[in-house]
Amino acid sequence: MSSGRKRRLLLAALVILLLLSGGHLWLNPYLDAASVLLRVSDPNRHDWLTRHDTNPITIRDTSVQTPAGPVRGRLYIPEGIPNPPAMVILHGVHYLGIDEPRLVNFSRALSTHGVLVLTPELADLADYHVELGSIDLIGYAARDLKARTGANSVAVLGLSFAGGLALVAASEPQYEKDVSIVISIGGYDSLPRVLRFYATNTVQGPRGAVLHMQAHEYGILVVAYAHPEDFFSPADVPRAREAIRQQLHEKTAQAQAIAQRLSPAGRARMEDLLAHKDGGLSADLLRSLSEHKTDAEAVSPEGKLAHIRADVFLAHGEADNVIPPAELMWLKKDVPADKLKAALISPVISHVELGGKPSFADEWRLVDFMKDVLQDCDKHARSHHELAPAQLEAAPASGRH
């Protein structure tokens, strides 16, 4: 975040202080929200606002218990908070999984403000696959954290593709009692619609308006990695998959070296993929989407949220070209009005991180959104019984921060 943007967030807090004279209890939630956002954008920043109402945290590696066996996870435990709100935070499609720096920053920032965070490793998403198995794993993680804390239910925050999956998990009858709040940041409503965007560079909103927007080049790579058989000959598929995997892992030299071992036709196709020349790939992409449409619909919130019991918060970047912001508008249409607590399309957010060149009003709206999230989490935490530290003992602590 630029120094000018930081100053505007600081100014927002000062304006609140002046307007709410004598209203310290009203002021604190806004200061907490601004502090969280500043810590997310710059974890190394240390001033009075980032230190406002914070506490030390313990970070502990753990395992989430599932019927298929334990899954790697990590706890961010606020010290000295007897009854903290509990939240599962889900990483997006990224090979670093729970070690992805933006996820770590988000988890640390919320924990320093009194939220107990569990981050489970979603193996499919870490391998660039959006699959049904992640929905059950999200439900098991919520249930696991609920059992550890003695909470009646927990919040689930999903970044990017995990935002859509979190909404589906919360709407499933077997998990609906475990999840009280869903926060989707940069999430989707219809995966087929998002994948079609990668092929056409067009986005349609719920009112029929069509927006032309250049899709992020990573989108076609993800589709080709999931189904290389739709883009390459059977003989080329194993090497093509590995070349794309290396590219997604930001190892371009290795990807190009593997590509040289493909057939001439496969090499030409891979060169187009790695050079982000999607013109010749769009037809194959559309055919691939048609063949796998049913699978994509199964992991989409669209048509599944009519009876969701959790409070829902939606945020999306105004210029997001990974999952276009029109998806938030579709989600607003699908989430019952009494469950949709806040929805924000903001230039402050790029995809799942802070960015852009927002105005003071834009930053104020993001602070207000985060304030509402924190207050709703705190409201649901009031019904929990006091947390016994022994309940969280699942692995040796990895450090106090």
Side-chain angles (χ1 to χ4, degrees):
M1 179 181 282
S2 68
S3 60
R5 194 172 304 126
K6 293 174 183 176
R7 285 194 298 272
R8 286 195 293 272
L9 273 175
L10 181 61
L11 178 60
L14 292 174
V15 168
I16 297 164
L17 183 62
L18 292 172
L19 292 177
L20 299 175
S21 57
H24 181 68
L25 292 178
W26 291 89
L27 172 64
N28 264 336
Y30 290 94
L31 295 177
D32 286 343
S35 181
V36 167
L37 292 170
L38 286 173
R39 282 178 171 269
V40 169
S41 63
D42 184 359
N44 297 316
R45 176 173 172 162
H46 301 286
D47 56 32
W48 74 268
L49 184 52
T50 55
R51 293 194 303 268
H52 170 75
D53 197 24
T54 57
N55 48 264
I57 66 174
T58 296
I59 300 175
R60 189 184 303 279
D61 292 331
T62 189
S63 296
V64 175
Q65 300 308 310
T66 77
V71 170
R72 179 177 176 237
R74 185 169 294 138
L75 286 165
Y76 297 76
I77 307 167
E79 296 184 10
I81 309 295
N83 188 25
M87 180 183 293
V88 176
I89 300 185
L90 308 167
H91 61 82
V93 174
H94 199 285
Y95 69 97
L96 291 177
I98 64 173
D99 299 317
E100 204 277 320
R102 292 169 298 184
L103 179 85
V104 172
N105 289 345
F106 214 142
S107 302
R108 289 172 61 100
L110 284 168
S111 187
T112 60
H113 280 274
V115 179
L116 195 155
V117 172
L118 169 65
T119 59
E121 185 97 299
L122 304 175
D124 286 336
L125 287 184
D127 193 36
Y128 296 84
H129 289 78
V130 183
E131 304 283 355
L132 276 172
S134 293
I135 294 171
D136 284 325
L137 181 48
I138 291 166
Y140 296 141
R143 190 170 295 167
D144 181 285
L145 186 59
K146 173 182 168 180
R148 290 173 190 257
T149 60
N152 291 331
S153 55
V154 302
V156 177
L157 186 152
L159 300 171
S160 185
F161 289 93
L165 292 170
L167 285 163
V168 177
S171 69
E172 292 287 323
Q174 63 266 42
Y175 307 124
E176 63 182 9
K177 294 181 180 179
D178 303 310
V179 180
S180 54
I181 304 169
V182 178
I183 307 107
S184 170
I185 300 179
Y188 65 91
D189 182 50
S190 167
L191 186 57
R193 189 168 48 238
V194 172
L195 299 180
R196 194 173 302 112
F197 162 62
Y198 297 151
T200 64
N201 296 310
T202 59
V203 183
Q204 182 172 348
R207 296 183 179 179
V210 177
L211 171 68
H212 296 278
M213 183 182 191
Q214 182 62 46
H216 197 288
E217 61 269 10
Y218 135 115
I220 290 183
L221 278 175
V222 170
V223 177
Y225 179 64
H227 299 289
E229 68 279 4
D230 296 340
F231 297 84
F232 295 89
S233 70
D236 278 337
V237 162
R239 286 175 179 165
R241 178 185 288 113
E242 181 58 20
I244 298 170
R245 189 178 75 87
Q246 294 294 334
Q247 182 71 14
L248 289 170
H249 286 210
E250 303 170 3
K251 297 177 180 178
T252 301
Q254 290 92 322
Q256 291 173 342
I258 296 169
Q260 294 306 309
R261 298 161 60 193
L262 296 169
S263 69
R267 188 162 57 249
R269 171 55 56 92
M270 184 61 69
E271 287 173 358
D272 284 347
L273 274 171
L274 298 185
H276 313 308
K277 296 178 181 178
D278 58 0
L281 299 168
S282 295
D284 284 345
L285 178 55
L286 288 171
R287 279 194 294 271
S288 179
L289 300 183
S290 177
E291 290 179 15
H292 304 288
K293 183 179 179 182
T294 301
D295 293 337
E297 288 174 340
V299 294
S300 296
E302 185 177 43
K304 301 181 179 69
L305 304 180
H307 302 291
I308 192 169
R309 295 173 58 173
D311 293 346
V312 175
F313 293 83
L314 306 172
H316 215 108
E318 184 176 83
D320 189 345
N321 66 344
V322 177
I323 298 176
E327 289 302 298
L328 181 141
M329 303 306 296
W330 285 102
L331 283 171
K332 282 182 66 176
K333 183 173 178 289
D334 284 346
V335 175
D338 64 323
K339 292 302 178 183
L340 183 60
K341 301 304 177 182
L344 176 68
I345 296 177
S346 172
V348 185
I349 307 168
S350 54
H351 176 50
V352 294
E353 59 189 350
L354 302 185
K357 297 180 180 179
S359 66
F360 169 78
D362 294 323
E363 291 183 330
W364 163 250
R365 282 189 282 269
L366 184 59
V367 169
D368 191 54
F369 177 89
M370 181 57 69
K371 180 267 298 182
D372 288 344
V373 169
L374 294 174
Q375 285 189 320
D376 206 42
C377 289
D378 185 61
K379 178 188 72 175
H380 284 279
R382 290 175 196 155
S383 61
H384 306 176
H385 67 65
E386 185 167 322
L387 176 65
Q391 290 175 268
L392 296 173
E393 296 295 333
S398 58
R400 184 176 183 273
H401 299 257

